């Protein structure tokens, strides 16, 4: 019989301290309507020597994950770490089952939803998170609706439909799409598989760093570069480095290098202005090839900025020409990666002073070669 143990962690609002049981389908703090964090209580450390022979997926890091006895999996995780230069290595997360790193968080949301048995699951996405949630809901036998903005890559929408999810195309941009999904999420019996608001997603993306730590024999590079829109990979990386440091499994925290497209870089601007949050007035949103990180007002902005500062890291931005050049350069090296997924290589590929890992987050087949 499938494991149906209810989650034991507690949702907590980072803004006002409001708490809710994680067995609830409340998708946001009822007081401020902001995203949840997760209080997992004390967890045993992941013992490096105990990993040999464990399941070959991200569920191998069971001690670090907030759900016990998982049943949903497509074999996600354990992606290769490949040197690109003498200082920069790439983690090939485009080799995930749905061809993007979003599988790391989607599997956690699908497993959580399976235990809560909702009438429906809804998600919103510019493409990759939607395809991942659709695939894992199919694996879990859950009905799923994915909201996407008009103009989303046809290859991504085809993949969402192929997994059996209902597709809702929303006029306007990413924020209009999120608003439509959140309105649907307020209907009773709905589980909102939000890669932004639900912290279980972050506890999935943190396995990205646990895998690097395992691959490097219990150490981490000097810096970890990640593309940042809503910040789900960066915040997962921050979670992992904090846990590993607190448990004495690393002796220093790597710097987090957050990369944004110059055309849509609200967090980079706030960081370099010394701000703790985004200004009330949003900057104009311009078109960018890095569509997956074109987020004008990420709900976790304050947390993202704090995480980068606490790590001793920084924000970098890349131009459209740099994105084009980086995609072609990686392709010439044998890796065909979508335009969002090449942003970090564009930013730090010439690094010579320290060791850096960059994620190749999504397959080039999802968007094609940039014009």
């Amino acid at each position: 019989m499938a494991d149906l143990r209810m989650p034991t962690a507690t949702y907590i609002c980072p803004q006002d301290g409001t708490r809710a049981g994680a067995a609830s389908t409340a998708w946001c703090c009822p007081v401020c309507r902001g995203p949840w964090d997760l209080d997992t209580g004390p967890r045993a450390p992941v013992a490096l020597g105990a990993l040999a022979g464990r399941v070959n997926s991200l569920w191998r890091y069971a001690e670090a994950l907030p759900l016990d006895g998982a049943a949903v999996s497509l074999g996600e995780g354990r992606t290769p770490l490949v040197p690109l230069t003498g200082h920069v290595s790439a983690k090939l997360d485009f080799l995930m089952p749905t061809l993007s790193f979003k599988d790391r968080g989607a599997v956690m949301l699908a497993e959580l939803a399976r235990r809560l048995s909702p009438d429906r699951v809804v998600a919103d996405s510019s493409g990759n998170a939607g395809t991942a949630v659709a695939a894992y809901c199919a694996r879990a036998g859950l009905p799923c609706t994915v909201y996407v903005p008009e103009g989303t890559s046809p290859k991504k929408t085809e993949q969402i439909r192929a997994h059996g999810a209902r597709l809702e195309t929303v006029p306007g941009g990413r924020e209009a799409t999120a608003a439509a999904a959140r309105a649907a999420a307020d209907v009773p019996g709905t589980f909102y598989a939000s890669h932004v608001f639900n912290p279980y997603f972050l506890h999935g993306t943190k396995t990205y760093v646990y895998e690097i730590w395992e691959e490097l024999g219990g150490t981490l590079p000097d810096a970890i570069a990640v593309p940042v829109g809503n910040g789900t990979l960066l915040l997962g990386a921050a979670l992992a480095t904090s846990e590993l440091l607190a448990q004495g499994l690393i002796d220093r925290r790597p710097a987090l290098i957050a990369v944004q497209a110059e055309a849509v870089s609200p967090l980079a601007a706030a960081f370099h202005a010394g701000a703790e949050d985004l200004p009330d007035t949003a900057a104009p949103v311009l078109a960018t090839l890095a569509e997956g990180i074109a987020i004008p007002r990420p709900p976790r902005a304050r947390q993202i900025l704090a995480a980068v500062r606490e790590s001793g890291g920084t924000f970098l931005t890349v131009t459209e020409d740099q994105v084009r050049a980086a995609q072609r350069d990686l392709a010439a090296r044998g890796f065909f990666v979508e335009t969002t997924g090449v942003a970090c290589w564009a930013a730090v590929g010439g690094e010579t002073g320290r060791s850096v890992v960059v994620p190749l987050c999504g397959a080039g087949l999802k968007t094609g070669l940039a014009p």
Side-chain angles (χ1 to χ4, degrees):
M1 181 180 293
D3 189 309
L4 291 174
R5 281 178 283 179
M6 289 296 105
T8 58
T10 303
Y11 288 129
I12 180 169
C13 175
Q15 297 299 318
D16 55 41
T18 301
R19 287 181 173 265
S24 141
T25 55
W27 61 268
C28 67
C29 171
V31 177
C32 70
R33 300 286 285 182
W36 292 116
D37 279 350
L38 200 63
D39 181 357
T40 63
R43 307 286 297 186
V46 175
L48 188 65
L51 294 174
R54 286 194 180 181
V55 61
N56 195 35
S57 76
L58 62 76
W59 293 107
R60 69 195 281 107
Y61 308 110
E63 297 91 339
L65 298 176
L67 292 171
D68 298 322
V72 176
S73 180
L74 290 169
E76 58 291 323
R78 302 284 283 153
T79 55
L81 185 64
V82 179
L84 293 178
T85 71
H87 290 82
V88 181
S89 296
K91 190 152 173 60
L92 310 188
D93 264 26
F94 69 90
L95 298 180
M96 289 283 199
T98 76
L99 308 182
S100 91
F101 86 93
K102 295 291 177 63
D103 290 7
R104 294 185 183 278
V107 67
M108 298 294 292
L109 295 184
E111 176 62 23
L112 176 61
R114 184 186 70 86
R115 299 181 190 205
L116 300 179
S117 300
D119 296 331
R120 68 194 67 82
V121 175
V122 300
D124 61 282
S125 169
S126 59
N128 283 339
T131 60
V133 170
Y136 282 92
C137 281
R139 185 69 167 174
L142 296 166
C144 177
T145 300
V146 179
Y147 291 77
V148 300
E150 59 184 358
T152 298
S153 166
K155 296 177 182 179
K156 293 180 181 180
T157 57
E158 181 182 17
Q159 188 178 2
I160 291 169
R161 288 193 180 97
H163 292 307
R166 177 183 172 187
L167 189 72
E168 292 284 352
T169 302
V170 180
R174 189 66 185 81
E175 292 200 330
T177 304
R182 291 167 196 167
D186 285 330
V187 175
T190 302
F191 177 82
Y192 184 24
S194 172
H195 59 294
V196 180
F197 277 75
N198 194 304
Y200 278 86
F201 195 94
L202 306 181
H203 282 265
T205 61
K206 76 181 181 184
T207 61
Y208 173 83
V209 169
Y210 274 91
E211 289 178 17
I212 297 172
W213 171 78
E214 181 184 359
E215 179 75 13
L216 296 180
T219 64
L220 288 174
D222 298 325
I224 296 172
V226 290
V228 174
N230 277 310
T232 55
L233 185 54
L234 183 136
L235 291 173
L239 267 175
T241 57
S242 294
E243 291 171 359
L244 290 167
L245 187 65
Q247 293 166 349
L249 297 174
I250 54 174
D251 58 10
R252 56 170 179 78
R253 178 180 292 180
L256 296 177
I257 302 173
V259 180
Q260 294 206 287
E262 186 178 272
V264 188
S265 53
L267 291 164
F271 180 88
H272 292 297
E276 295 183 354
D277 205 345
L278 297 181
D280 292 335
T281 304
V285 178
L286 305 176
T288 176
L289 294 167
E291 61 182 12
I293 52 173
I295 309 297
R297 296 198 65 81
R300 294 186 184 270
R302 178 178 287 270
Q303 290 176 282
I304 295 166
L305 293 166
V308 173
R309 288 197 175 100
E310 288 167 8
S311 76
T314 191
F315 271 82
L316 301 175
T317 61
V318 292
T319 67
E320 301 303 293
D321 284 345
Q322 286 176 306
V323 170
R324 290 186 183 92
Q327 189 185 39
R328 285 167 169 76
D329 180 67
L330 282 170
R333 296 169 186 263
F335 304 110
F336 186 32
V337 183
E338 69 172 327
T339 45
T340 299
V342 306
C344 291
W345 177 243
V348 304
E351 178 70 52
T352 58
R354 56 183 171 175
S355 58
V356 184
V357 171
V358 301
L360 304 185
C361 301
L365 295 174
K366 286 175 170 276
T367 57
L369 192 65

